[in-house]
Each structure stands twice: as structure tokens, then as C-alpha cells.
Amino acid sequence: MDAVTTAPGDTAIWTMPDFDEHERIEIVHDRASGLTAIIALHSTHLGPGAGGTRFWHYAQPQGAMRDALRLSRGMSYKNALAGLPLGGGKAVVLLDEQRTRTPEMLAAFGDAVEALAGAYVTAEDVGASEADMEAIHQRTEHVCGLPVAEGQAGGDPGPYTAQGIFLGIKAAVAHRLGRTDMDGVRVAVQGCGSVGGGVARRLAGEGAQVTLADIDQAKAEALAAELGGTAVPAAEIMQVSCDVFSPNALGAILDDVSIPKLDCAIVAGGANNQLTRAAHGELLRDRGILYAPDYVINAGGIINVGMEYLARRAGETCSASTVMERIGGIGSTLTAIWQESERSGAGAHEVADRMARKAIGRGE
Ligand code: NAD
């Protein structure tokens, strides 16, 4: 196993716009198994850098480094504003076009995580499965999101993420519409998967009127029938007239073209990296749309697996109800961001970034 820690002389990485003072970047190549991976640690100021491992085929290998850096910084911010004693890190495993992964590659990746002695804690991300995490866990303790017993923290993050988004939407409705109930509040939900489906069920359970869309139209229709909502084609959901637009499918959906067409008072959903660029946060603010920064509102999943990991490391257990209590704080964090946004005139996305940077010791 050759593990190369980059040195200050490696200007190619040092000067990348996404570098942002990463503490450590490991480029791992294991000749025997064919594993090539990057482990990026943005900040360990608050604790071990925690963030998932993405298994992906990159047509352009430099895209892998950019992803690792950008996602790792995102985890620093997410963990900080979730109030977790965890820093930010992320790994990418570079797969070939057939997306081949072997037990030997997973073992070598587990060894690379173990070699960091707890500075990095991994979890599932795009392209990874629970079985991959269990294979990595054979080689290192520094893994979270493992299967757990009923009632304990850990396991599938989806329901925890959905609960945090639901509470975030309620906080947004209280802040912008001055309402404490959801009766008749019109919410357009993009994406009816693990997160979007969970959000829609919770909202409908409190009387909200849900409009649903998914590229799998049958999925949206089935959920609409279950919840007494309406299904619309995926191409129409962002123009639906509603109180809340809740994106729970893809990133980079808010841009120069889509924002002017939104017909809502609030954007609040779980998809990662919703703003195509930071300037789109300002565009939302200029249109008077209240925006819930994605990494704040969708932190329920990392709160769940982070608390699972921290308890396991301390030789303790953590119950699902303790996790839910912590997720209950997402609404007040968002409200504090919106209040500061209104006081300062800065967009909510910018206020959240500033708060996160301060928490990780990198404020101005
Ligand atoms: P999922 O795969 O279960 O569901 C995604 C759904 O979106 C699918 O039903 C898919 O068909 C649909 N979809 C894809 N493209 C679409 C489009 N253009 N229009 C409408 N629907 C579309 O994934 P998930 O776990 O529910 O995650 C949803 C989003 O939330 C992702 O952006 C993910 O990164 C983010 N997220 C998830 C978690 C979690 O705990 N699962 C945590 C944080 C963030």
C-alpha cells in the first residue's frame, strides 16, 4: 500500500479553488487490489473529520479531487452547524467504467482509513452500499451508518434526514407565514425517494396539501394516491404555485433559469448543493424567497450516524430518541440564520457559511 500525503510543494492541489486550507489530503493507491482513492480532511477543529465515501467513475480524474475537496468542506460546515463534535472529511474511490469493486479494494480502503487512526470517519455516500460499509468495517472501527438494533442510533439515515427537513419546513412556515400549523399549507415536493417520500408523508400527516413529482411518474402517482395529494410531471414541479418548494432529488437545480420561475415563498428541502452557484442564494433573497441552506436542513442523517459512531467509540449506546431530540434543534438553527440574514442583509446561504466557518475556527 502506497499512501502519499501531499506536501506544500504540490502546487496543483494547493492552488485549486476548492482547496480552502484542507488540513490533509491522502491519495491512496494500492497496486495489488487496484484501489485508487482520495481521502480529504478539511477540518478536525471540532473532532474527527466525518463524511461518506463516494464510489464513482470519473471520466476526468481531476473531477475526483474537486469532488473530494468540495464535499469534505461541505461536511465541515454541516457537522459544525449540526452541533456535532465532528469535523469534516470525505473520500472518493475512483472506479473504472464498469464500476468494478472487489473485496480486496474494500479491504485496502479500510486499511487506508485505519491508517488515519480515527482522524477520518467514513460512512455511506453515492454509489456505496451497506454491504460495502460492513466490508470496510472488517478493517477499521472508524465507520458509521452500520446496521443497528431497533431503537438505536445508526442504520438507514433517510428517515432521520426526512424528520429534520420536516421540522425545518415547519420552522420556515412559522418564520415566513407566521403559522404554527401545517393545515392547508401547499408544499411541492421534488423527488419521492427515501427523503422526499418521508417528508411528504410527515407533511400530509399534519394536513399539508402536497403536490408530488418524480422522474418515476408512477412513484409520484402512488404516493399522491396514498397521501391524498396531486402528482405532476417532473418538468413542472418547480413552477407549481405553492407556499413551500421542497427539492429532494438532485443538486444544482436553483439557477438563473429556474429561480425566476419559482412561485413559492420558501425553498426548503434535502437535496445536496441546491444552489448552482453562491450567487443564486442572493437571487433567492432578492426575489424575497426564504431559503433553508441545504446542509443545515438535511443534517438529520449525519446527526444519526455521527451520534452512533461517537457513542460506539465511548463504549456506550445511543438511542434513536436521543438522536431525534438533537434533530429537533435544526429548526432553531435555521431560524437563527434567517434572523441574522434579515439583520445583516446577507443571503441565508452566506450567513450559514459564516456561522460554520466561525464554529470551525476560521471566521474573519
Ligand atoms: P433516493 O434515491 O431514495 O430518491 C431520489 C428520488 O428522486 C428518486 O425517486 C428519483 O427517481 C427522484 N428523481 C431523480 N431525479 C429527479 C428529477 N429530476 N425530478 C424529480 N425526481 C427525481 O435518494 P434520497 O436518499 O431520497 O436523497 C434525495 C436527496 O437528498 C439527494 O440529493 C441526496 O444527496 C440528499 N440527501 C439524502 C440524505 C439521506 O439521508 N438519504 C441525507 C442528506 C442529503
Side-chain angles (χ1 to χ4, degrees), residues 2-45:
D2 314 309
V4 184
T5 303
T6 53
D10 191 342
T11 48
I13 295 172
W14 229 241
T15 56
M16 284 176 78
D18 294 309
F19 175 69
D20 190 36
E21 295 184 274
H22 263 71
E23 287 179 11
R24 196 166 173 180
I25 301 161
E26 297 278 331
I27 298 169
V28 185
H29 180 67
D30 179 53
R31 188 172 193 171
S33 65
L35 171 80
T36 303
I38 300 167
I39 302 175
L41 281 173
H42 179 253
S43 167
T44 55
H45 183 78

Side-chain angles (χ1 to χ4, degrees), residues 78 157-158 161 190-196 213-216 219 234 248-250 270-272 298:
K78 183 184 286 206
T161 303
Q190 180 181 49
C192 302
S194 165
V195 171
D214 197 290
I215 41 165
D216 180 347
K219 204 168 175 180
N248 298 289
L250 301 177
N272 279 315
N298 73 14

Side-chain angles (χ1 to χ4, degrees), residues 80-168:
L81 289 198
L84 293 168
L86 292 170
K90 198 89 183 184
V92 296
V93 172
L94 286 81
L95 300 179
D96 62 17
E97 262 178 80
Q98 287 69 44
R99 289 164 167 72
T100 313
R101 78 190 64 174
T102 62
E104 292 75 21
M105 286 165 71
L106 294 171
F109 181 71
D111 290 343
V113 173
E114 180 62 18
L116 291 171
Y120 171 61
V121 184
T122 195
E124 253 178 84
D125 192 65
V126 177
S129 67
E130 220 171 76
D132 293 331
M133 289 301 120
E134 288 188 273
I136 294 165
H137 188 222
Q138 300 290 315
R139 311 294 276 227
T140 181
E141 270 305 305
H142 305 298
V143 180
C144 56
L146 297 168
V148 286
E150 181 78 26
Q152 294 299 307
D156 179 10
Y160 295 93
T161 303
Q163 175 69 9
I165 295 161
F166 168 65
L167 296 175

Side-chain angles (χ1 to χ4, degrees), residues 207-225:
Q209 264 180 41
V210 290
T211 304
L212 305 157
D214 197 290
I215 41 165
D216 180 347
Q217 176 80 14
K219 204 168 175 180
E221 278 166 13
L223 191 61

